Amino acid sequence: MKLQQLPQEFIAALPILEKIEGAGYEAYFVGGSVRDTLLGKPIHDVDIATSAFPKEVKAIFEHTVDTGIKHGTVMILDQGQGYETTTFRTESTYTDFRRPDEVTFVRSLAEDLQRRDFTINALALKSDGEVIDLFDGLKDLTDHRIRAVGKAEERFFEDALRMMRALRFSSQLGFEIEATTLQAIQDNAALLNNIAVERINTEFTKLLLGKNVWYAILELLRTGVHNYLPGLENSDIDLVGLADLLKQEQIDDVTVAWMLLTFELGLTADDAQIFLKSWKHSNELIKVVRSGLRLLNQLRIKDVTDWQLYQVGTAIQATLKVLDLSELPIESTSLQVRYEQLPIKEKQALALNGGDLTKTLALKPGPLFGKVLATLEYKVVMGELANDKPVLLKAATTIIQKDQQGK
Ligand SMILES: Nc1ccn([C@@H]2O[C@H](COP(=O)(O)OP(=O)(O)OP(=O)(O)O)[C@@H](O)[C@H]2O)c(=O)n1
Ligand SMILES: [Mg+2]
Protein backbone atom coordinates (compact mmCIF):
# COMPACT_ATOMS: atom_id res chain seq x y z
CA MET A 1 0.00 0.00 0.00
CA LYS A 2 1.25 3.45 -0.86
CA LEU A 3 0.11 6.68 0.80
CA GLN A 4 -0.46 9.47 -1.71
CA GLN A 5 -0.53 12.24 0.85
CA LEU A 6 1.51 12.52 4.00
CA PRO A 7 0.65 14.73 6.97
CA GLN A 8 2.61 17.95 7.40
CA GLU A 9 4.70 16.55 10.28
CA PHE A 10 6.02 13.75 8.05
CA ILE A 11 6.65 16.08 5.10
CA ALA A 12 8.73 18.31 7.38
CA ALA A 13 10.79 15.29 8.46
CA LEU A 14 11.25 13.82 4.97
CA PRO A 15 14.66 15.50 4.39
CA ILE A 16 15.94 13.50 7.39
CA LEU A 17 14.88 10.14 5.96
CA GLU A 18 16.28 11.14 2.59
CA LYS A 19 19.60 12.21 4.06
CA ILE A 20 19.99 8.87 5.87
CA GLU A 21 19.04 7.03 2.67
CA GLY A 22 21.51 9.17 0.73
CA ALA A 23 24.26 7.96 3.05
CA GLY A 24 23.42 4.38 2.09
CA TYR A 25 21.18 3.28 4.98
CA GLU A 26 17.47 2.59 5.42
CA ALA A 27 15.16 4.86 7.40
CA TYR A 28 11.42 4.74 8.10
CA PHE A 29 8.74 6.45 10.12
CA VAL A 30 7.48 3.98 12.72
CA GLY A 31 5.22 3.62 15.74
CA GLY A 32 2.13 5.53 16.77
CA SER A 33 2.43 8.30 14.20
CA VAL A 34 2.17 5.81 11.30
CA ARG A 35 -0.82 4.09 12.97
CA ASP A 36 -2.57 7.40 13.65
CA THR A 37 -1.95 8.70 10.10
CA LEU A 38 -3.59 5.59 8.65
CA LEU A 39 -6.53 6.13 11.01
CA GLY A 40 -6.81 9.74 9.83
CA LYS A 41 -5.98 11.03 13.30
CA PRO A 42 -3.66 13.92 14.13
CA ILE A 43 -0.13 12.83 15.05
CA HIS A 44 2.16 14.01 17.82
CA ASP A 45 5.71 12.66 17.93
CA VAL A 46 7.40 11.49 14.75
CA ASP A 47 9.62 8.46 15.45
CA ILE A 48 12.22 7.26 12.97
CA ALA A 49 13.86 3.83 12.80
CA THR A 50 17.03 3.29 10.82
CA SER A 51 19.59 0.66 9.84
CA ALA A 52 22.35 3.16 10.60
CA PHE A 53 24.06 2.57 13.94
CA PRO A 54 24.05 5.50 16.40
CA LYS A 55 27.63 6.45 15.52
CA GLU A 56 26.72 6.45 11.85
CA VAL A 57 23.64 8.64 12.45
CA LYS A 58 25.80 11.11 14.33
CA ALA A 59 28.28 11.21 11.46
CA ILE A 60 25.52 12.12 8.98
CA PHE A 61 24.01 15.05 10.92
CA GLU A 62 25.60 18.16 12.30
CA HIS A 63 23.33 18.62 15.33
CA THR A 64 22.39 15.58 17.40
CA VAL A 65 21.76 14.84 21.08
CA ASP A 66 22.41 11.49 22.74
CA THR A 67 18.97 11.05 24.29
CA GLY A 68 19.15 7.28 24.69
CA ILE A 69 22.34 6.20 23.03
CA LYS A 70 22.56 2.89 24.94
CA HIS A 71 19.24 1.86 23.43
CA GLY A 72 20.19 3.23 20.03
CA THR A 73 18.27 6.50 20.20
CA VAL A 74 19.78 9.73 18.95
CA MET A 75 17.83 12.95 18.58
CA ILE A 76 18.45 14.77 15.31
CA LEU A 77 17.90 18.52 15.55
CA ASP A 78 16.53 20.09 12.40
CA GLN A 79 15.00 23.54 11.98
CA GLY A 80 14.00 23.84 15.63
CA GLN A 81 12.53 20.32 15.69
CA GLY A 82 13.94 17.22 17.35
CA TYR A 83 13.49 13.79 15.78
CA GLU A 84 14.11 10.66 17.83
CA THR A 85 15.94 8.24 15.60
CA THR A 86 16.44 4.69 16.82
CA THR A 87 18.63 2.03 15.28
CA PHE A 88 16.85 -1.23 14.32
CA ARG A 89 17.26 -3.51 17.30
CA THR A 90 16.31 -6.78 18.84
CA GLU A 91 16.20 -7.09 22.57
CA SER A 92 17.57 -10.50 23.29
CA THR A 93 17.19 -11.57 26.89
CA TYR A 94 14.72 -10.40 29.46
CA THR A 95 14.98 -11.45 33.05
CA ASP A 96 12.81 -8.86 34.77
CA PHE A 97 9.86 -8.48 32.40
CA ARG A 98 10.57 -4.84 31.71
CA ARG A 99 13.98 -3.98 30.38
CA PRO A 100 16.05 -5.95 27.95
CA ASP A 101 19.33 -7.13 29.46
CA GLU A 102 21.00 -6.09 26.28
CA VAL A 103 20.05 -4.39 23.06
CA THR A 104 21.44 -5.76 19.86
CA PHE A 105 21.55 -3.43 16.89
CA VAL A 106 20.61 -5.06 13.61
CA ARG A 107 20.46 -3.99 9.99
CA SER A 108 17.09 -5.57 9.23
CA LEU A 109 13.80 -3.71 9.51
CA ALA A 110 11.91 -7.00 9.84
CA GLU A 111 13.82 -7.95 12.97
CA ASP A 112 13.02 -4.58 14.49
CA LEU A 113 9.31 -4.68 13.69
CA GLN A 114 9.04 -8.23 14.96
CA ARG A 115 9.81 -7.19 18.55
CA ARG A 116 7.18 -4.42 18.64
CA ASP A 117 4.01 -4.85 20.70
CA PHE A 118 0.96 -4.89 18.41
CA THR A 119 0.50 -5.32 14.66
CA ILE A 120 -1.04 -1.85 14.35
CA ASN A 121 2.15 -0.45 15.96
CA ALA A 122 4.48 -2.51 13.80
CA LEU A 123 3.93 -0.66 10.54
CA ALA A 124 6.71 1.31 8.88
CA LEU A 125 6.39 4.14 6.38
CA LYS A 126 9.06 4.72 3.74
CA SER A 127 9.95 8.15 2.38
CA ASP A 128 8.11 7.43 -0.88
CA GLY A 129 4.83 6.75 1.01
CA GLU A 130 5.06 2.94 0.89
CA VAL A 131 3.64 1.25 3.99
CA ILE A 132 5.63 -1.80 5.11
CA ASP A 133 3.19 -4.23 6.70
CA LEU A 134 4.80 -7.51 7.69
CA PHE A 135 2.22 -8.67 10.23
CA ASP A 136 -1.15 -7.74 8.70
CA GLY A 137 -1.35 -4.58 10.76
CA LEU A 138 -3.32 -2.84 8.00
CA LYS A 139 -6.04 -5.48 8.16
CA ASP A 140 -6.16 -5.21 11.94
CA LEU A 141 -6.47 -1.43 11.61
CA THR A 142 -9.41 -1.86 9.25
CA ASP A 143 -11.01 -4.54 11.40
CA HIS A 144 -10.44 -2.54 14.61
CA ARG A 145 -8.38 -5.22 16.29
CA ILE A 146 -5.49 -5.19 18.74
CA ARG A 147 -3.31 -8.21 18.17
CA ALA A 148 0.17 -8.91 19.48
CA VAL A 149 2.96 -9.35 16.96
CA GLY A 150 3.80 -13.06 16.88
CA LYS A 151 3.30 -14.87 20.19
CA ALA A 152 1.52 -12.55 22.61
CA GLU A 153 3.07 -14.18 25.64
CA GLU A 154 6.58 -13.51 24.34
CA ARG A 155 5.73 -9.85 23.78
CA PHE A 156 4.39 -9.56 27.34
CA PHE A 157 7.46 -11.27 28.77
CA GLU A 158 9.58 -8.65 27.01
CA ASP A 159 7.58 -5.84 28.60
CA ALA A 160 4.63 -6.60 30.85
CA LEU A 161 3.41 -3.02 30.52
CA ARG A 162 2.22 -4.00 27.05
CA MET A 163 -0.80 -5.71 28.67
CA MET A 164 -1.89 -2.32 30.00
CA ARG A 165 -1.13 -0.80 26.61
CA ALA A 166 -3.46 -3.28 24.91
CA LEU A 167 -6.29 -2.21 27.21
CA ARG A 168 -5.50 1.48 26.79
CA PHE A 169 -5.43 1.24 22.99
CA SER A 170 -8.75 -0.59 23.05
CA SER A 171 -10.17 2.34 25.02
CA GLN A 172 -8.54 5.09 22.94
CA LEU A 173 -9.21 3.61 19.52
CA GLY A 174 -12.40 1.70 20.22
CA PHE A 175 -10.73 -1.54 19.07
CA GLU A 176 -11.35 -5.08 20.27
CA ILE A 177 -8.54 -7.13 21.75
CA GLU A 178 -8.10 -10.30 19.69
CA ALA A 179 -8.87 -13.54 21.56
CA THR A 180 -5.39 -15.08 21.91
CA THR A 181 -3.91 -11.73 22.89
CA LEU A 182 -6.67 -11.35 25.49
CA GLN A 183 -6.04 -14.86 26.79
CA ALA A 184 -2.32 -14.11 27.12
CA ILE A 185 -3.17 -11.02 29.17
CA GLN A 186 -5.33 -13.12 31.44
CA ASP A 187 -2.58 -15.74 31.83
CA ASN A 188 0.21 -13.24 32.50
CA ALA A 189 -1.49 -10.39 34.37
CA ALA A 190 0.64 -11.05 37.47
CA LEU A 191 3.74 -9.94 35.54
CA LEU A 192 2.49 -6.38 36.08
CA ASN A 193 3.94 -6.68 39.59
CA ASN A 194 7.32 -6.07 37.94
CA ILE A 195 6.33 -2.76 36.41
CA ALA A 196 6.85 0.68 37.98
CA VAL A 197 3.56 2.19 39.09
CA GLU A 198 4.27 5.46 37.24
CA ARG A 199 4.30 3.61 33.92
CA ILE A 200 1.08 1.77 34.79
CA ASN A 201 -0.48 5.06 35.84
CA THR A 202 0.29 6.67 32.46
CA GLU A 203 -1.45 3.84 30.62
CA PHE A 204 -4.39 3.58 33.02
CA THR A 205 -5.01 7.33 32.84
CA LYS A 206 -5.06 7.15 29.03
CA LEU A 207 -7.48 4.23 29.35
CA LEU A 208 -9.81 6.27 31.57
CA LEU A 209 -9.78 9.13 29.05
CA GLY A 210 -10.45 6.91 26.03
CA LYS A 211 -13.65 6.94 24.04
CA ASN A 212 -14.32 3.26 24.64
CA VAL A 213 -13.49 3.27 28.33
CA TRP A 214 -16.44 1.09 29.39
CA TYR A 215 -15.29 -1.73 27.12
CA ALA A 216 -11.70 -1.44 28.32
CA ILE A 217 -12.80 -1.56 31.98
CA LEU A 218 -14.82 -4.71 31.33
CA GLU A 219 -11.83 -6.33 29.58
CA LEU A 220 -9.63 -5.25 32.47
CA LEU A 221 -11.97 -7.09 34.82
CA ARG A 222 -12.34 -10.10 32.56
CA THR A 223 -8.58 -10.60 32.37
CA GLY A 224 -8.09 -9.96 36.08
CA VAL A 225 -5.60 -7.17 35.41
CA HIS A 226 -7.33 -5.00 38.04
CA ASN A 227 -6.03 -7.40 40.70
CA TYR A 228 -2.53 -6.08 39.99
CA LEU A 229 -3.41 -2.39 40.09
CA PRO A 230 -2.94 -0.51 43.38
CA GLY A 231 -6.13 -0.40 45.44
CA LEU A 232 -8.32 -1.94 42.74
CA GLU A 233 -8.04 -5.55 43.83
CA ASN A 234 -11.51 -6.89 44.56
CA SER A 235 -13.29 -3.74 43.44
CA ASP A 236 -15.10 -5.58 40.65
CA ILE A 237 -18.55 -4.27 41.51
CA ASP A 238 -17.46 -0.65 41.72
CA LEU A 239 -15.58 -0.94 38.43
CA VAL A 240 -18.56 -2.49 36.66
CA GLY A 241 -20.59 0.45 38.00
CA LEU A 242 -18.01 2.88 36.64
CA ALA A 243 -18.03 1.16 33.24
CA ASP A 244 -21.81 1.46 33.18
CA LEU A 245 -21.72 5.19 33.86
CA LEU A 246 -19.24 5.74 31.06
CA LYS A 247 -21.02 3.80 28.33
CA GLN A 248 -22.04 6.95 26.46
CA GLU A 249 -19.43 9.26 27.92
CA GLN A 250 -15.85 10.28 27.39
CA ILE A 251 -13.85 11.98 30.14
CA ASP A 252 -11.66 14.84 28.93
CA ASP A 253 -9.69 15.68 32.04
CA VAL A 254 -7.21 13.69 34.14
CA THR A 255 -8.38 15.07 37.49
CA VAL A 256 -12.03 14.40 36.65
CA ALA A 257 -11.14 10.81 35.75
CA TRP A 258 -9.44 10.09 39.06
CA MET A 259 -12.04 11.95 41.11
CA LEU A 260 -14.79 9.92 39.48
CA LEU A 261 -12.88 6.69 40.06
CA THR A 262 -12.33 7.39 43.77
CA PHE A 263 -15.96 8.47 44.15
CA GLU A 264 -17.23 5.27 42.56
CA LEU A 265 -14.89 3.28 44.80
CA GLY A 266 -16.71 4.91 47.70
CA LEU A 267 -13.56 6.40 49.21
CA THR A 268 -13.42 9.15 51.81
CA ALA A 269 -11.11 12.09 51.14
CA ASP A 270 -8.49 10.55 53.46
CA ASP A 271 -8.71 7.10 51.86
CA ALA A 272 -8.51 8.70 48.42
CA GLN A 273 -5.29 10.39 49.45
CA ILE A 274 -3.73 7.06 50.39
CA PHE A 275 -5.05 5.46 47.19
CA LEU A 276 -3.77 8.25 44.93
CA LYS A 277 -0.39 8.32 46.67
CA SER A 278 -0.01 4.62 45.96
CA TRP A 279 -0.49 5.49 42.30
CA LYS A 280 2.22 8.18 42.71
CA HIS A 281 -0.09 11.03 41.77
CA SER A 282 1.00 14.64 42.30
CA ASN A 283 0.04 16.51 45.47
CA GLU A 284 -1.76 18.99 43.27
CA LEU A 285 -4.10 16.35 41.82
CA ILE A 286 -4.62 14.81 45.25
CA LYS A 287 -5.63 18.18 46.72
CA VAL A 288 -8.27 18.78 44.06
CA VAL A 289 -9.66 15.24 44.33
CA ARG A 290 -9.88 15.55 48.12
CA SER A 291 -11.85 18.82 47.94
CA GLY A 292 -14.17 17.43 45.30
CA LEU A 293 -14.76 14.15 47.09
CA ARG A 294 -15.73 15.91 50.31
CA LEU A 295 -18.53 17.72 48.52
CA LEU A 296 -19.63 14.70 46.47
CA ASN A 297 -19.74 12.44 49.51
CA GLN A 298 -21.88 15.02 51.31
CA LEU A 299 -24.17 15.29 48.30
CA ARG A 300 -24.68 11.54 48.43
CA ILE A 301 -26.39 12.01 51.80
CA LYS A 302 -28.12 15.38 51.59
CA ASP A 303 -27.99 18.89 50.15
CA VAL A 304 -24.91 20.96 50.92
CA THR A 305 -24.60 24.37 52.52
CA ASP A 306 -23.01 27.39 50.84
CA TRP A 307 -20.08 26.96 53.21
CA GLN A 308 -19.48 23.41 51.99
CA LEU A 309 -19.76 24.62 48.40
CA TYR A 310 -17.30 27.46 49.11
CA GLN A 311 -14.75 25.05 50.53
CA VAL A 312 -14.47 23.21 47.21
CA GLY A 313 -12.78 26.34 45.84
CA THR A 314 -10.96 25.97 42.56
CA ALA A 315 -11.86 22.26 42.41
CA ILE A 316 -15.47 23.24 41.65
CA GLN A 317 -15.41 22.74 37.86
CA ALA A 318 -13.90 19.25 38.05
CA THR A 319 -16.27 18.35 40.86
CA LEU A 320 -19.37 19.41 38.95
CA LYS A 321 -18.20 17.40 35.93
CA VAL A 322 -17.84 14.34 38.15
CA LEU A 323 -21.30 14.99 39.56
CA ASP A 324 -22.76 14.97 36.02
CA LEU A 325 -20.97 11.72 35.19
CA SER A 326 -21.94 10.06 38.46
CA GLU A 327 -25.15 8.27 39.32
CA LEU A 328 -26.25 11.02 41.72
CA PRO A 329 -29.59 12.48 40.53
CA ILE A 330 -28.47 16.07 41.13
CA GLU A 331 -28.28 18.78 38.49
CA SER A 332 -24.84 20.39 38.43
CA THR A 333 -26.27 23.62 36.97
CA SER A 334 -28.09 24.59 40.15
CA LEU A 335 -24.92 24.07 42.19
CA GLN A 336 -22.93 25.97 39.58
CA VAL A 337 -25.32 28.93 39.90
CA ARG A 338 -25.15 28.80 43.70
CA TYR A 339 -21.35 28.73 43.53
CA GLU A 340 -21.25 31.71 41.14
CA GLN A 341 -23.47 33.67 43.51
CA LEU A 342 -21.38 33.12 46.62
CA PRO A 343 -20.50 36.52 48.15
CA ILE A 344 -16.81 35.60 48.10
CA LYS A 345 -14.88 32.75 46.48
CA GLU A 346 -11.73 32.94 48.60
CA LYS A 347 -10.47 34.24 51.93
CA GLN A 348 -8.51 37.00 50.22
CA ALA A 349 -11.76 38.53 48.97
CA LEU A 350 -12.97 39.26 52.51
CA ALA A 351 -13.44 43.04 52.91
CA LEU A 352 -11.48 42.92 56.17
CA ASN A 353 -8.04 41.48 56.72
CA GLY A 354 -5.55 40.84 59.51
CA GLY A 355 -4.03 44.29 59.05
CA ASP A 356 -7.40 45.92 59.75
CA LEU A 357 -7.75 43.96 62.97
CA THR A 358 -4.34 45.14 64.19
CA LYS A 359 -4.65 48.74 63.04
CA THR A 360 -8.26 49.53 63.83
CA LEU A 361 -9.03 47.22 66.72
CA ALA A 362 -5.52 46.87 68.16
CA LEU A 363 -5.87 43.08 68.16
CA LYS A 364 -2.55 41.24 68.39
CA PRO A 365 -1.90 38.07 66.36
CA GLY A 366 -2.92 34.99 68.35
CA PRO A 367 -5.68 32.38 68.57
CA LEU A 368 -8.43 35.01 68.85
CA PHE A 369 -7.12 36.71 65.73
CA GLY A 370 -7.63 33.55 63.67
CA LYS A 371 -10.99 32.86 65.28
CA VAL A 372 -12.28 36.34 64.38
CA LEU A 373 -11.24 36.04 60.73
CA ALA A 374 -12.61 32.51 60.39
CA THR A 375 -15.96 33.51 61.92
CA LEU A 376 -16.28 36.52 59.61
CA GLU A 377 -15.38 34.40 56.60
CA TYR A 378 -18.04 31.84 57.51
CA LYS A 379 -20.74 34.46 58.11
CA VAL A 380 -20.02 36.30 54.88
CA VAL A 381 -20.11 33.09 52.84
CA MET A 382 -23.37 32.05 54.51
CA GLY A 383 -24.92 35.46 53.80
CA GLU A 384 -25.22 36.33 57.49
CA LEU A 385 -23.00 39.40 57.12
CA ALA A 386 -22.42 41.72 54.16
CA ASN A 387 -18.89 41.73 52.79
CA ASP A 388 -18.38 45.32 53.79
CA LYS A 389 -15.56 46.70 55.94
CA PRO A 390 -17.57 48.75 58.50
CA VAL A 391 -20.03 45.88 58.91
CA LEU A 392 -17.20 43.39 59.46
CA LEU A 393 -15.34 45.69 61.88
CA LYS A 394 -18.49 45.99 63.96
CA ALA A 395 -18.99 42.23 63.94
CA ALA A 396 -15.33 41.72 64.84
CA THR A 397 -15.71 44.06 67.83
CA THR A 398 -18.67 42.02 69.06
CA ILE A 399 -16.78 38.74 68.72
CA ILE A 400 -13.79 40.16 70.62
CA GLN A 401 -15.98 41.53 73.41
CA LYS A 402 -17.83 38.23 73.78
CA ASP A 403 -14.53 36.40 73.91
CA GLN A 404 -13.17 38.68 76.63
CA GLN A 405 -16.39 38.37 78.67
CA GLY A 406 -16.14 34.65 78.36
CA LYS A 407 -12.69 34.63 79.98
N1 LIG B 1 6.09 -1.28 25.49
C1 LIG B 1 6.24 -0.88 24.23
C2 LIG B 1 6.25 0.48 23.92
C3 LIG B 1 6.42 0.86 22.59
N2 LIG B 1 6.59 -0.07 21.62
C4 LIG B 1 6.80 0.33 20.21
O1 LIG B 1 7.28 1.67 20.16
C5 LIG B 1 6.34 2.50 19.47
C6 LIG B 1 6.28 3.89 20.10
O2 LIG B 1 5.93 3.78 21.46
P1 LIG B 1 5.02 4.84 22.22
O3 LIG B 1 5.30 6.22 21.76
O4 LIG B 1 5.15 4.53 23.67
O5 LIG B 1 3.53 4.41 21.83
P2 LIG B 1 2.70 4.76 20.54
O6 LIG B 1 2.28 3.48 19.91
O7 LIG B 1 3.46 5.70 19.69
O8 LIG B 1 1.41 5.43 21.13
P3 LIG B 1 1.17 6.99 21.48
O9 LIG B 1 0.43 7.53 20.31
O10 LIG B 1 0.34 6.98 22.69
O11 LIG B 1 2.52 7.62 21.68
C7 LIG B 1 5.03 1.73 19.51
O12 LIG B 1 4.17 2.10 18.46
C8 LIG B 1 5.54 0.30 19.37
O13 LIG B 1 5.90 0.01 18.05
C9 LIG B 1 6.57 -1.41 21.95
O14 LIG B 1 6.69 -2.24 21.05
N3 LIG B 1 6.41 -1.80 23.25
MG1 LIG C 1 4.34 7.58 20.42
Side-chain angles (χ1 to χ4, degrees), residues 32-33 44-45 47:
S33 55
H44 35 111
D45 32 40
D47 289 321

Side-chain angles (χ1 to χ4, degrees), residues 309-362:
L309 206 49
Y310 168 79
Q311 283 176 308
V312 181
T314 52
I316 189 73
Q317 293 312 334
T319 308
L320 294 179
K321 272 196 198 168
V322 172
L323 178 63
D324 280 337
L325 291 166
S326 82
E327 70 284 11
L328 295 189
I330 300 168
E331 268 291 321
S332 71
T333 22
S334 61
L335 284 172
Q336 170 93 44
V337 170
R338 273 179 64 192
Y339 183 81
E340 292 309 329
Q341 290 174 346
L342 288 176
I344 58 170
K345 302 280 195 308
E346 53 186 5
K347 200 186 267 170
Q348 287 73 20
L350 206 60
L352 178 137
N353 61 30
D356 298 320
L357 289 185
T358 325
K359 267 187 274 161
T360 321
L361 302 181

Side-chain angles (χ1 to χ4, degrees), residues 96 98 160 163 188-196 200 227-229:
D96 62 0
R98 52 195 151 145
M163 294 184 279
N188 296 287
L191 293 181
L192 282 168
N193 283 333
N194 300 287
I195 302 297
I200 297 184
N227 290 316
Y228 302 94
L229 305 182

Side-chain angles (χ1 to χ4, degrees), residues 94 96-100 117-118 152-167 184-185 188-196 199-200 203 225 228-229:
Y94 296 78
D96 62 0
F97 309 105
R98 52 195 151 145
R99 244 161 219 100
D117 52 6
F118 305 109
E153 182 158 277
E154 286 174 11
R155 299 291 82 74
F156 298 152
F157 268 63
E158 287 162 0
D159 184 358
L161 185 72
R162 287 171 168 169
M163 294 184 279
M164 285 302 294
R165 282 171 59 87
L167 294 162
I185 296 176
N188 296 287
L191 293 181
L192 282 168
N193 283 333
N194 300 287
I195 302 297
R199 295 180 75 208
I200 297 184
E203 298 303 327
V225 162
Y228 302 94
L229 305 182

